[in-house]
Amino acid sequence: MNRLRDKEIRPGDRWVYSAGFNVRPDLRDTGRIDAEIPDLRRILDAGGRVAILSHQGSHGSADELDHVAAHLTTRLGSTVDYVWDNDTPQAARLAGELRPGTAALFGNTRRHAGEQRNDPALARRFAALGDAVAVGGFSKAHRAHASNVGVLRTLPGYVTDSVLRETELLAPWAGPSDRFSIAVLGGVKREKTMTGLDAVSRHYDVVVPGGVVLNTVLRALGHDVGASELGEDPEGCLRVARTVLGRTGRARIHVPRHVTVTRDGAVRIVGVHQIPPGWAIADLVPRPWLRDALARLVSGGGRAFVAGTPSRYAEGFRNSADQLLAAFSAPGVDALLMGGDTVAELPWDGPVSTGGGAALHFLAHGTCPVLDAVRTGPGEAA
């Protein structure tokens, strides 16, 4: 695979840097930006000119990225201008006018509906910003979008160290292991069910669903979850959950008997078969057998990860997450937190991966669409 570290960069070379700076305007957690600073410096120190493409939010609710440009300016020690355009002749002209050793951040790629469906015409307009692609943005490596997989149909790509570090970091948590293994899947994104629940239940001993994953599992078991969040593609996720629950030889999946629910500031603990209409699940109550499994992990060691918060932690519903994190931080336990929101919300001093869905995709398949596109090269990337 082409690696940026092996590529000779000459003064004046024009680069598109495909980044994953999907961070909130309050910059509460800048890990996804900071991870890519050394790769950006590699190009800039060699005299390259860098047009940075990134996203934040989703189409229809996409913020501008001037806050990211300001943070990049501070970290790189040189001005990173913010250019609102990203797919126009004017944007291409401004990219071409960059001085050697300078960078500009172009507008939010998710402003365009074609970004997330990998529109070829949009990808070609993005590709006009440079002559080669530095492939960063591991957090979106599982998504075939115009600004990563799409531009690689036109331009040669080189994988950054930030992406390679993520794949190396994830290796101990991939596939089967002789070590006792517990996985926590939460949050609101569909890949936690569609990819995570399906793949992890094949190789881990215990899977603890939380968030939308838990709500989907409860629906699959016939429970009414009231006003609980169901995320994107609830019916598709429901089909996957039913398939996993019906599979033999899978992980033991923790289905709580009781959950904490909330409505308009009121809070109750109820049985999963008694969730009132209009109330939403905010946390789960660990069953005795799960507490025993956590005790086994603490006493005997093993591996564990959290991909998505298992509860509405930021709103004060912390019981299950605190119990899980206490066990995962014990000596002899190799534990990892995955995903920007997970890392930002939960108190954790151990290893983290900036990719949530991307990390799950890599754990499931050993690769990601953007890595496959780099291997295939221009003209053929899927």
Side-chain angles (χ1 to χ4, degrees), residues 22-71:
N22 185 17
V23 299
R24 300 168 182 168
D26 62 11
L27 293 174
R28 184 171 65 174
D29 181 77
T30 60
R32 287 181 171 174
I33 306 175
D34 299 337
E36 305 204 43
I37 294 297
D39 292 297
L40 284 165
R41 281 204 176 112
R42 180 188 299 274
I43 302 173
L44 295 173
D45 289 350
R49 297 178 287 165
V50 184
I52 305 169
L53 287 175
S54 187
H55 72 283
Q56 200 282 324
S58 300
H59 180 65
S61 61
D63 294 319
E64 289 310 312
L65 299 176
D66 48 326
H67 61 289
V68 176
H71 184 74

Side-chain angles (χ1 to χ4, degrees), residues 183-187 206-215 217-218 253-262 267-272 275 280-291 294 308-313 317-324:
V184 179
L185 300 170
V206 175
V207 174
V208 183
V212 166
V213 187
L214 173 59
N215 303 340
V217 166
L218 291 175
I253 297 175
H254 179 260
V255 180
R257 289 180 177 163
H258 295 85
V259 291
T260 301
V261 296
T262 184
V267 177
R268 297 184 194 171
I269 294 179
V270 300
V272 294
I275 299 170
I281 298 172
D283 201 355
L284 60 98
V285 178
R287 291 173 61 176
W289 75 257
L290 177 57
R291 292 197 294 269
L294 294 174
T309 50
S311 62
R312 286 158 61 167
Y313 195 89
F317 297 97
R318 302 180 174 183
N319 179 58
S320 65
D322 286 346
Q323 290 186 56
L324 291 162

Side-chain angles (χ1 to χ4, degrees), residues 57-297:
S58 300
H59 180 65
S61 61
D63 294 319
E64 289 310 312
L65 299 176
D66 48 326
H67 61 289
V68 176
H71 184 74
L72 286 170
T73 294
T74 299
R75 289 301 315 274
L76 290 169
S78 60
T79 300
V80 176
D81 290 327
Y82 183 56
V83 179
W84 189 89
D85 280 340
N86 55 26
D87 73 325
T88 62
Q90 164 127 345
R93 179 179 63 77
L94 291 172
E97 291 174 354
L98 287 170
R99 301 185 312 279
T102 65
L105 174 63
F106 288 73
N108 193 337
T109 59
R110 287 193 180 170
R111 181 188 308 146
H112 307 283
E115 159 71 337
Q116 290 173 270
R117 65 170 182 262
N118 194 13
D119 177 66
L122 178 62
R124 287 192 293 272
R125 295 198 296 274
F126 286 158
L129 301 177
D131 298 316
V133 183
V135 180
F138 181 73
S139 62
K140 65 178 183 181
H142 61 309
R143 302 186 185 280
H145 287 178
S147 65
N148 58 0
V149 169
V151 294
L152 293 170
R153 289 190 173 190
T154 300
L155 303 176
Y158 300 84
V159 179
T160 62
D161 280 357
S162 68
V163 170
L164 293 173
R165 279 195 303 271
E166 292 283 353
T167 61
E168 292 163 2
L169 170 70
L170 290 167
W173 287 271
S177 173
D178 293 335
R179 307 180 73 198
F180 188 58
S181 303
I182 299 180
V184 179
L185 300 170
V188 299
K189 294 182 178 176
R190 65 192 295 271
E191 57 259 26
K192 305 299 171 56
T193 303
M194 302 288 281
T195 300
L197 186 64
D198 180 54
V200 174
S201 64
R202 300 175 188 271
H203 302 308
Y204 275 62
D205 299 292
V206 175
V207 174
V208 183
V212 166
V213 187
L214 173 59
N215 303 340
T216 303
V217 166
L218 291 175
R219 285 188 71 210
L221 293 170
H223 298 296
D224 186 338
V225 296
S228 303
E229 175 67 52
L230 295 175
E232 300 174 1
D233 193 11
E235 297 310 309
C237 290
L238 183 61
R239 288 192 294 272
V240 170
R242 285 173 173 158
T243 297
V244 171
L245 290 169
R247 185 183 296 151
T248 59
R250 58 164 170 76
R252 191 174 186 185
I253 297 175
H254 179 260
V255 180
R257 289 180 177 163
H258 295 85
V259 291
T260 301
V261 296
T262 184
R263 185 181 71 174
D264 299 330
V267 177
R268 297 184 194 171
I269 294 179
V270 300
V272 294
H273 59 290
Q274 298 173 322
I275 299 170
W279 291 67
I281 298 172
D283 201 355
L284 60 98
V285 178
R287 291 173 61 176
W289 75 257
L290 177 57
R291 292 197 294 269
D292 291 343
L294 294 174
R296 174 182 171 185
L297 185 73

